[in-house]
């Protein structure tokens, strides 16, 4: 299972015309007994996320999956970035790379879904 986007997905992300804030929906599954490793990554990110204008909009544990595919996730987080550019700056930043091993050590699988807020339903 993937824990990093491939280059094709990044190119598709960059090619659309949207230029506003991006909310990244993270669906997370942890390696057995390794969730604490991922928590080290998050604690590290919190220390410098303001440099990229990032916000944590939501984080929570999955208590039940009522519909979906075969993949099971344990947690959900929604991170807001001011733009696609800021997301890429964060993703490639040296400070993030310094703590990347905690993410890699803790995650078994992740879905990362780029979304934009809509005005109304």
């Amino acid at each position: 299972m993937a824990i990093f986007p491939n280059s094709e997905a990044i190119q598709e992300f960059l090619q659309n015309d949207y230029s506003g804030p991006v909310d990244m929906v993270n669906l997370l599954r942890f390696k057995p007994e390794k969730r604490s490793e991922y928590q080290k990554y998050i604690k590290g990110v919190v220390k410098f996320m303001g440099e990229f204008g990032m916000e944590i909009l939501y984080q929570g544990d999955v208590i039940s999956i009522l519909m979906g595919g075969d993949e099971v996730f344990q947690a959900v987080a929604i991170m807001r970035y001011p733009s696609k550019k800021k997301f890429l700056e964060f993703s490639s930043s040296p400070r993030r790379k310094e703590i990347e091993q905690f993410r890699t050590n803790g995650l078994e699988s992740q879905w990362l879904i780029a979304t934009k807020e809509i005005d109304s339903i």
Side-chain angles (χ1 to χ4, degrees):
M1 298 295 161
I3 63 168
F4 293 102
N6 63 37
S7 58
E8 183 179 295
I10 294 291
Q11 287 305 314
E12 184 179 320
F13 172 66
L14 293 173
Q15 288 174 355
N16 73 51
D17 293 336
Y18 181 69
S19 62
V22 177
D23 298 335
M24 290 292 189
V25 178
N26 296 261
L27 303 177
L28 307 165
R29 184 171 61 226
F30 306 105
K31 293 177 182 173
E33 309 298 322
K34 295 291 185 178
R35 185 175 184 151
S36 61
E37 287 292 303
Y38 186 78
Q39 293 297 355
K40 291 177 189 175
Y41 171 74
I42 294 301
K43 287 178 182 179
V45 167
V46 167
K47 292 178 183 176
F48 65 91
M49 66 188 217
E51 296 174 23
F52 300 95
M54 296 166 57
E55 301 175 67
I56 299 172
L57 298 183
Y58 175 82
Q59 58 182 340
D61 287 335
V62 173
I63 59 171
S64 181
I65 297 176
L66 303 177
M67 292 177 57
D70 294 333
E71 192 154 6
V72 175
F73 297 100
Q74 296 162 310
V76 176
I78 303 175
M79 302 291 294
R80 177 166 287 167
Y81 298 83
S83 64
K84 294 184 288 189
K85 179 182 175 192
K86 285 295 184 183
F87 169 76
L88 292 175
E89 286 176 8
F90 163 75
S91 297
S92 62
S93 73
R95 291 190 73 185
R96 194 201 66 81
K97 289 182 179 184
E98 286 175 8
I99 59 173
E100 185 175 289
Q101 78 272 10
F102 299 121
R103 184 179 176 279
T104 303
N105 292 343
L107 279 182
E108 183 173 298
S109 179
Q110 177 181 10
W111 285 16
L112 184 62
I113 305 166
T115 69
K116 66 177 185 168
E117 193 168 3
I118 57 175
D119 293 330
S120 65
I121 294 179

